[in-house]
Amino acid sequence: MAYVTSLFARKMVAAAGSGIDQRATLEQAGIDPDAPWDPKFMIPAATYYEMLEGMAEQIDVTKLPVHVGASMRCDEYGALGLAWKAAPTLMASCSRIERYARIWTGVVTYELRDHPRGTLFILHRDGERRLGLRLSNEATLASAVSLSRQVCPVPFSPIEVFVQHKEPRSKAFHEAWFGCPVTFSADLDAILISDEAINRPNILGDEGISRYLMSDLDRELAKVDKSPAVVGEAKDAIAQALSEGTPRMTEIAKGLGLSARSFHRRLSEHGLSFQTLTEETRRELAEGLLRDKQYSLAEVAFLTGFSEQSSFTRAFKRWLGTTPANYRKARI
């Protein structure tokens, strides 16, 4: 069963105000209204969606997810939020969410993808696109922008926001808050960030604190991974295939004796997408190869599936906030 942090549910209920019975709503979701807010207390995702749908029967929820996303603060995410703040750039902040999000949720994965106008920060969430899920997606996209504004030294807005579901009666409030066009009925859920904004240094970027926090997050991530067999086997298969270029999910699944659909489902059960797993494998392989002086930077790029060394350098800087050359110099 997939779970989400109760923090999101509490934020939604608080933002709804007096239009609902807040105590009853929380209790029905299995949350003690009088207990301290504990982000580590999880509730089933289906329960969360049902709670949101029940609220929608009582109040107009058009603006609710944006209000909730806007209210999110880095410190509320614990070590992951601190790692976001301490990252050297917004690109590095987003990379940490892409890598460590499953510490917080088993229903959402993230992906960074190059785009002709910048970089897409993509939200992946499986399941029937019921109202509760749609509201949750909007809140998640808004929280990503809110957290970005908290670390950016100048006013931040995306170039564009993409949402898969149909637009509400009016999207004027969404576009006013995001500060950019919001395209509904899109083919993905994402925010598009300019190259200038995503590579701008964060206000509180600190490399020393970042290394400490990421070590802590790696330990937490190891605890979350409950199925090392399928994940480990998939990583091995991906690593072996990378020298031929970026592998396809269907090819890796076939090698594991699974259909693409079954493979996708099993990864989703552990908060992973194939794209995220491939990126994670590439990063781990690159780190290992860079610690071995016998491989040139060009060879490391080739062995990790990049056709050009410049593309590898950009990806590695996105992953770890430094260049492959500087990473090697600091460890050899």
Side-chain angles (χ1 to χ4, degrees), residues 15 35 38 94 110 132 140 159 186 190 230 249 252 328:
D38 180 4
C94 292
Y110 297 89
T140 301
I159 295 175
V230 66
M249 185 175 73
I252 299 300
R328 166 170 278 178

Side-chain angles (χ1 to χ4, degrees), residues 258-294:
L258 298 169
S259 68
R261 190 171 187 175
S262 295
F263 183 43
H264 174 75
R265 185 182 68 251
R266 292 182 67 177
L267 290 180
S268 297
E269 289 172 354
H270 303 287
L272 287 168
S273 68
F274 181 70
Q275 293 92 338
T276 301
L277 192 64
T278 301
E279 284 287 282
E280 192 171 293
T281 303
R282 272 179 153 167
R283 176 188 57 77
E284 292 174 356
L285 182 60
E287 289 182 70
L289 293 171
L290 287 170
R291 288 192 287 267
D292 189 334
K293 289 191 292 184
Q294 70 171 307

Side-chain angles (χ1 to χ4, degrees), residues 170-189:
S170 170
K171 62 178 182 178
F173 178 77
H174 290 69
E175 294 193 328
W177 187 84
F178 281 110
C180 68
V182 178
T183 300
F184 286 86
S185 298
D187 59 359
L188 77 175
D189 297 293

